[in-house]
Amino acid sequence: MEVKETKRLKHYNNKQKILLVGEGDFSFSLSLARAFGSATNLIATSLDSQAELERNYKNGKANVEELERLGCNVVFGVNVHSMTTKPNLGCSATHDRVIFNFPHAGFDYGREHQIKTIMYDRVTSFIVVFPLVLFGIFIFWEGKYIFGWFRRHQELVRGFMKSARLLVKDEDKGGEIHVVHKTEYPFSEWKLKTLGEKEGLELVSEIEFCLNHYPGYSNKRGSRGYNDSSFPVGKSSTFIFKKQFFY
């Protein structure tokens, strides 16, 4: 049945076919569904299994149950790098919006705001030149770790973009890929615009993101025993990409 009344929440409305990936406790999807009064236009996904969701997030089960009552297609075990292999996510180039909020490759040690978890360039350039003379073998190894960790974040986002590009509608049909991400240093060094360009995407807009625009949304760390904890959003934006016509 065709939806007659358009209901909106910020950049999204109930007439768009929306795919959400990397959901924590599914509270962002639920915020949209409540605003629309329905979730029949939503596909909400998580890398977690259903059992992991219920174990890691106290509101996860209730959020999913409400989403499903509202008509949402909830899919577990979705890797953002291989979304096109999931037939229940829909056919190629059918989604108006594909959304990934606060992508993060997780932690081996350190916290998400620490420079060593994100950066590598200045550290490794120094260590490569003077690996043993000043700092010794341990620091040389540490530098390689930092390099690898930074790359993990970028590879996560780039793999998502590559997969999402196949699922979102073409630029002339209004398809958009949205990535919500922190904008201050060192997060700015993820270089989302450059990653998008490498995958045939053009950054067309960057809009300030505010948590209070999405009632009920609770952002989650989703890693290392802190799954159900929120983190400070700080200065963040919704980065809006469209397919490049020539790619």
Side-chain angles (χ1 to χ4, degrees):
M1 185 174 66
E2 184 180 354
V3 178
K4 294 184 178 180
E5 181 184 0
T6 301
K7 296 183 179 181
R8 302 181 183 276
L9 183 60
K10 295 304 293 179
H11 325 296
Y12 312 112
N13 67 66
N14 60 331
K15 293 185 178 180
Q16 297 166 338
K17 185 175 181 181
I18 301 174
L19 171 63
L20 303 105
V21 307
E23 286 286 89
D25 67 351
F26 287 86
S27 57
F28 186 81
S29 299
L30 187 56
S31 180
L32 296 183
R34 287 171 173 171
F36 301 157
S38 169
T40 55
N41 63 317
L42 304 181
I43 301 177
T45 75
S46 171
L47 179 61
D48 291 334
S49 66
Q50 186 169 359
E52 288 171 330
L53 169 84
E54 295 177 7
R55 182 170 63 248
N56 293 332
Y57 303 101
K58 64 179 181 181
N59 294 324
K61 181 179 179 181
N63 289 346
V64 166
E65 288 175 348
E66 183 173 351
L67 278 169
E68 291 179 333
R69 285 197 299 271
L70 290 168
C72 182
N73 181 10
V74 177
V75 186
F76 296 100
V78 175
N79 186 320
V80 298
H81 286 197
S82 55
M83 295 185 289
T84 55
T85 66
K86 294 280 188 178
N88 45 0
L89 298 190
C91 302
S92 297
T94 58
H95 297 282
D96 297 291
R97 301 290 182 269
V98 181
I99 306 169
F100 195 176
N101 289 338
F102 299 106
H104 199 280
F107 310 98
D108 280 353
Y109 64 81
R111 302 302 292 272
E112 57 114 24
H113 64 278
Q114 290 178 328
I115 189 70
K116 66 183 178 182
T117 347
I118 301 167
M119 289 297 296
Y120 76 93
D121 51 356
R122 294 191 179 95
V123 177
T124 48
S125 63
F126 188 76
I127 291 170
V128 167
V129 177
F130 306 106
L132 298 174
V133 176
L134 296 180
F135 294 103
I137 295 173
F138 173 77
I139 300 298
F140 181 64
W141 174 86
E142 180 82 346
K144 290 192 293 184
Y145 178 89
I146 294 169
F147 176 80
W149 198 245
F150 176 81
R151 289 292 300 273
R152 279 186 64 184
H153 292 305
Q154 289 193 314
E155 288 167 2
L156 171 68
V157 175
R158 189 171 175 182
F160 158 73
M161 289 175 166
K162 183 176 183 178
S163 189
R165 191 182 190 280
L166 299 174
L167 294 173
V168 75
K169 290 180 178 178
D170 292 337
E171 183 272 340
D172 60 344
K173 296 182 179 179
E176 295 178 358
I177 295 170
H178 292 193
V179 180
V180 178
H181 184 59
K182 295 185 178 185
T183 56
E184 292 186 305
Y185 182 87
F187 300 94
S188 56
E189 295 303 311
W190 291 29
K191 305 294 184 185
L192 296 191
K193 181 176 184 292
T194 301
L195 296 181
E197 289 170 349
K198 291 178 179 179
E199 297 303 332
L201 301 175
E202 178 185 2
L203 180 64
V204 296
S205 185
E206 179 184 338
I207 303 172
E208 182 182 7
F209 176 86
C210 296
L211 273 176
N212 59 13
H213 290 164
Y214 300 92
Y217 173 43
S218 178
N219 59 307
K220 300 298 183 183
R221 291 188 183 276
S223 181
R224 292 291 303 270
Y226 297 97
N227 302 74
D228 210 21
S229 300
S230 295
F231 56 87
V233 168
K235 292 184 179 180
S236 299
S237 292
T238 300
F239 292 79
I240 299 176
F241 295 88
K242 290 188 176 182
K243 292 182 180 179
Q244 292 177 351
F245 185 75
F246 296 103
Y247 177 67

